[in-house]
Structure formats: structure tokens, C-alpha cells
Amino acid sequence: MGTAESAYAKAVNGHYAPGNLAARIREGLRAAGKEGAALAPADLAPVDQFHTGGWQATAELAQLAELAQLAEVRSGLHVLDVGGGVGGAARYLASEYGCHVTVLDLTEAYCEAGEMLTALTGLSEQVRFQVGDAQAMPFPDESFALVWTQHSTMNIPAKEKLFAEAHRVLRRGGRLALHEIMAGNAPVIHFPVPWAASPESSFLKTPEEMRTLIIGAGFHERVWEDVTETALAWFQRRPAPPGDGPPPLGLHLLLGEVFPQTFQNTVLSLEEGRISVIRAVFERR
Ligand SMILES: C[S@@+](CC[C@H](N)C(=O)[O-])C[C@H]1O[C@@H](n2cnc3c(N)ncnc32)[C@H](O)[C@@H]1O
């Protein structure tokens, strides 16, 4: 890795993951009464679905990608989850569809915590974690049938490289499924947000810019949906934490003290149309 890339990786690692992430999640599990028992992927949903819409959005994206049909013809479908965090979607795809999922994530502490959570759900044979940068994927050509990403592209500056890499590692006819935050109708958003403390670390493009980049990389569009309103409704439905602080298991564990502020700023930026949320499925030509 060059110096600039290392600085980038350092910035991403520094933003995500407060100290001792795996230990904090373990403590959360204990406080939630989920320690020791055999855990199902759904038990971890409060802490491992780090995107708008939570578990439901993951399930819907799998349906939109017609994973059931893909999985039927190819048992053990190979999936790459780009920026897959602590692996919530990966465990969902492994347990619901029998997929083999590789999580590629730049944040080492997320990969480490993800391995721990995967072991707790007994899915280590099907889900593996690899620390690395989506702009230079450490995989051979045509090694996956599905490339999946939820809420990671906001952190990725060279989107041409990202989509060129997604195309390269997908087999012909494979799918790219994405669920992403994109720019809205104003150049400025409220910081900090869950993906960045300041504008220097946020790389949003408009939906039309993203669409053009993806198609330009050699993909054919199958589905494109603006789910901004659904994302906003999801935030508004979330129960406020009781007066004595956050629940034992929640997304605050992934970001630390800054979490409530980032949460509020995301809602505000959504309400003001400064950001949008898109889900889409493309086919690799
Ligand atoms: C908001 S989190 C979403 C995590 C996960 N997709 C989910 O929905 O639960 C964004 C993730 O993208 C990862 N990420 C950011 N830039 C990346 C890059 N260049 N390559 C790989 N992962 C990256 C971060 O480390 C973080 O885990």
C-alpha cells in the first residue's frame, strides 16, 4: 500500500470502531442475556445491521437480487460483501440461502468482531472476513456470483475503481446488489454522520452519477429504486432509548459516543433532502 492509501485506511479505521469493539459487543451480549446460548443471526440484528432499514432492508435486497433463484441452481453461491462491517448481511445470506460469503472490509476491528460473532452463530464455515480495500480487491477474476454492498460506498473515493473491481471479480451473468446512501439535492450535509466525522471523509455522488458509473463499468440495470422515504420512516419508527441510556445491544457499540449525534444528523439530512437512499440490482455483462 502507498502512503496515501495507508493514510486513507488509517482514517477509515480511526473513524469506525471505538477501542475494544469485540469486547464491547461481548459485554452487550451478556447484558442482553444472550451470552452462552447458541445464537441465531437474528439475535445479533440490533448490532450487526449498520444501515438504514436494518434486518428488513437486508432481507428485501436479497429478494430483489432474486437470490433464491440463483441459490437454487448453484448451491453454495459465492458472495462478496464489500464493506460488510461486522458481517450482519453475510450471516443472513449464509443462514437463509446457504451462501458462502466473503466480507471485505477495511476496518480491522470490524473484521475481528465479525469473526467472533460468526463463530457464536456457528457459521464460520460459510462466512469469512478479509481486511482490504474495495478499490483494489484481493481476489482473482470471476470468483463470485454476487457482489453485495450496503452503505459502504460513501467512504470510497475512487468509485470507478470500485465498480471496475466489482465487475472483474464477478463471473459473467453475476449480480451486483447495492443499498447505498447517495447525495441529495444540496452539496452540504450535516456532520458528523455515521460514515464520516467531516466532509474530507465523505464521498457522496448523486444517484444519476452512480448509475452512470455502474453502467459504464459494464453492468446492465435490472432494478433501481429510490427508498429515501422508506429509510426516513424507519428512523422515525425507531423507539427512543429509555431515559437511562441506550439498550445493551445496539449500533452505538460500533461508533461509540458520537453515535447519537450522527444518527440525528442523518435524519436531518434525509428530511432536508440532502442525502438519498437507493437500492439497485445490476447484472454483469
Ligand atoms: C456504515 S458501515 C456498513 C457496514 C455493513 N455493510 C452493514 O451494512 O452493516 C461501512 C463499512 O464500510 C467499510 N469501508 C469503508 N471504506 C472501505 C473500503 N475502501 N474498502 C472496504 N471497506 C470499506 C467500513 O470499514 C465499514 O465497515
Side-chain angles (χ1 to χ4, degrees), residues 8 12 16 48-51 81-85 104-107 110 132-135 150-152 154-156 195:
Y8 166 70
V12 172
Y16 288 106
D48 73 4
Q49 306 282 329
F50 193 3
H51 49 257
D81 186 355
V82 173
L104 176 67
D105 201 285
L106 198 50
T107 302
Y110 278 16
D133 189 343
Q135 298 162 113
Q150 289 179 286
H151 291 34
S152 73
M154 309 90 78
N155 282 120
I156 300 179
W195 64 93

Side-chain angles (χ1 to χ4, degrees), residues 17-153:
N20 291 327
L21 180 65
R24 286 162 60 97
I25 297 179
R26 253 186 215 285
E27 174 53 28
L29 285 169
R30 192 199 56 72
K34 291 181 176 175
E35 194 185 42
L39 294 179
D43 288 320
L44 302 173
V47 71
D48 73 4
Q49 306 282 329
F50 193 3
H51 49 257
T52 59
W55 172 272
Q56 174 77 15
T58 298
E60 286 177 7
L61 187 61
Q63 278 172 15
L64 219 55
E66 297 182 333
L67 208 51
Q69 286 89 318
L70 281 178
E72 208 172 286
V73 288
R74 310 187 129 232
S75 64
L77 195 82
H78 285 267
V79 179
L80 173 63
D81 186 355
V82 173
V86 298
R91 285 182 291 275
Y92 177 84
L93 298 175
S95 61
E96 293 293 316
Y97 293 97
C99 297
H100 289 272
V101 190
T102 301
V103 175
L104 176 67
D105 201 285
L106 198 50
T107 302
E108 290 184 31
Y110 278 16
C111 290
E112 185 195 314
E115 278 170 358
M116 183 263 296
L117 294 173
T118 301
L120 291 176
T121 53
L123 288 167
S124 300
E125 291 288 307
Q126 279 171 265
V127 177
R128 72 179 192 97
F129 289 80
Q130 168 122 23
V131 177
D133 189 343
Q135 298 162 113
M137 299 184 188
F139 308 112
D141 296 356
E142 302 192 26
S143 36
F144 298 98
L146 174 68
V147 169
W148 172 284
T149 181
Q150 289 179 286
H151 291 34
S152 73
T153 60

